[in-house]
Amino acid sequence: MKSHFNLLVLTLLTINSIPIGKLNDYLLIGTIKSTMSVKIYFIDIRFIFRRSMVRFGKEVKMAAGRKCEFCKEQALDAAMKVFWEKGFLGASLSELTQAMGINKPSMYAAFGNKEQLFVAATDYFAERHGSQACRNLQQSEGTVKERMKVYLSTVSDMQNQPGLPPGCFIAQAIGESVGGSLPAAALSAIQKASGISWSFLTDFFQHEIDAGRLSDSKSAEVYTRYTLTAIQGMASMARSGVPRHKMNDVIDLTLLAFED
């Protein structure tokens, strides 16, 4: 048992970057239940602290080839909500890791730095939430006006969905990007996400114009710009606390541009 214990101590010292020569500076307390079950705490004589058991658990298990102890998707969902509510600049690392339920080393290991985490959260939003309205529009039937009502209603529902911050993740980020304060990768991710909506709507309106179901008095680009402007305004209203039911009249007015 002594040899197993010494081997485990050397392993933990290595994981935590503690030189063997510094062992005398630490008080080592071990509770041995078996050769494979050891709880160890390091208390520095110069400044007292407890080494996180979470760090031990994650590092040892990852070294042994086992899976991380947290769900990356759940952590990413939590990070998305923090960025959605506070923006990239307003979200601190402490707020992000607290919401994600992990420590900073685990965040860096799983997602990279804050900018890389924001990029991942943006992609996650686009796939999980941003694409639903587009799918509903594709699958809907009826006139252009009726189909656009489905689209705008889905967007407004998402902007006021319980369990999510009000407004729109992308709209929030676009507001930050205006001042040129977003890092390059974060800005690129936002432009990519917003570009998907632009391309989808432009293709949709062009198809409807070509089919004679939408007036060609305006170009597909104009219809798209008009729609996205309305969505940005709806997001601002939701963020300021305007309830969902009050958006119905706004949607009806917006739909006047798509009369047969």
Side-chain angles (χ1 to χ4, degrees):
M1 180 178 294
K2 184 177 180 180
S3 62
H4 287 294
F5 177 77
N6 290 337
L7 178 60
L8 182 57
V9 169
L10 290 174
T11 301
L12 292 173
L13 288 172
T14 301
I15 288 173
N16 290 275
S17 302
I18 300 172
I20 295 178
K22 292 288 185 178
L23 182 58
N24 292 332
D25 292 340
Y26 292 83
L27 175 63
L28 180 62
I29 304 173
T31 303
I32 306 178
K33 295 182 180 179
S34 70
T35 57
M36 298 302 292
S37 178
V38 181
K39 293 183 180 178
I40 293 179
Y41 297 83
F42 287 100
I43 304 177
D44 194 324
I45 301 282
R46 296 163 300 179
F47 58 96
I48 300 177
F49 67 99
R50 184 174 79 84
R51 293 281 181 170
S52 171
M53 292 301 293
V54 174
R55 180 181 179 185
F56 282 157
K58 281 184 169 39
E59 292 293 337
V60 172
K61 289 187 177 182
M62 288 175 69
R66 300 181 188 177
K67 294 181 179 180
C68 296
E69 290 186 338
F70 67 92
C71 175
K72 288 187 66 174
E73 184 173 349
Q74 291 179 355
L76 189 57
D77 186 82
M80 176 201 69
K81 292 175 182 177
V82 175
F83 284 128
W84 190 334
E85 181 179 359
K86 297 179 176 292
F88 175 82
L89 298 176
S92 68
L93 285 178
S94 296
E95 289 171 325
L96 287 165
T97 53
Q98 182 177 1
M100 297 165 75
I102 59 178
N103 55 24
K104 292 180 183 179
S106 294
M107 187 201 81
Y108 289 127
F111 301 103
N113 60 23
K114 179 182 176 181
E115 185 176 358
Q116 292 169 315
L117 177 61
F118 180 83
V119 171
T122 301
D123 292 341
Y124 178 82
F125 168 85
E127 179 181 350
R128 178 60 62 91
H129 301 286
S131 61
Q132 185 60 54
C134 295
R135 287 195 295 269
N136 286 357
L137 179 57
Q138 276 185 323
Q139 297 168 4
S140 62
E141 298 179 352
T143 65
V144 174
K145 180 179 178 180
E146 291 169 340
R147 298 179 70 188
M148 285 303 297
K149 183 169 186 176
V150 171
Y151 176 79
L152 292 173
S153 296
T154 302
V155 170
S156 187
D157 289 342
M158 183 271 293
Q159 293 174 350
N160 295 272
Q161 184 174 334
L164 293 175
C168 175
F169 181 100
I170 301 300
Q172 161 78 0
I174 289 176
E176 282 191 300
S177 69
V178 173
S181 53
L182 286 182
L187 179 60
S188 178
I190 291 301
Q191 291 173 338
K192 175 185 174 183
S194 60
I196 292 174
S197 296
W198 175 273
S199 297
F200 174 83
L201 288 173
T202 301
D203 289 345
F204 169 77
F205 288 131
Q206 188 61 58
H207 181 269
E208 296 305 304
I209 291 172
D210 293 343
R213 292 187 289 265
L214 182 63
S215 173
D216 60 359
S217 61
K218 304 293 183 184
S219 67
E221 288 78 11
V222 171
Y223 283 117
T224 299
R225 190 175 298 112
Y226 169 78
T227 302
L228 293 179
T229 300
I231 290 174
Q232 289 276 2
M234 289 162 54
S236 296
M237 291 293 100
R239 193 167 180 83
S240 65
V242 177
R244 168 66 180 88
H245 70 273
K246 289 191 175 182
M247 288 296 99
N248 291 331
D249 289 339
V250 174
I251 292 173
D252 288 341
L253 285 174
T254 304
L255 295 173
L256 294 178
F258 308 111
E259 294 282 2
D260 298 337

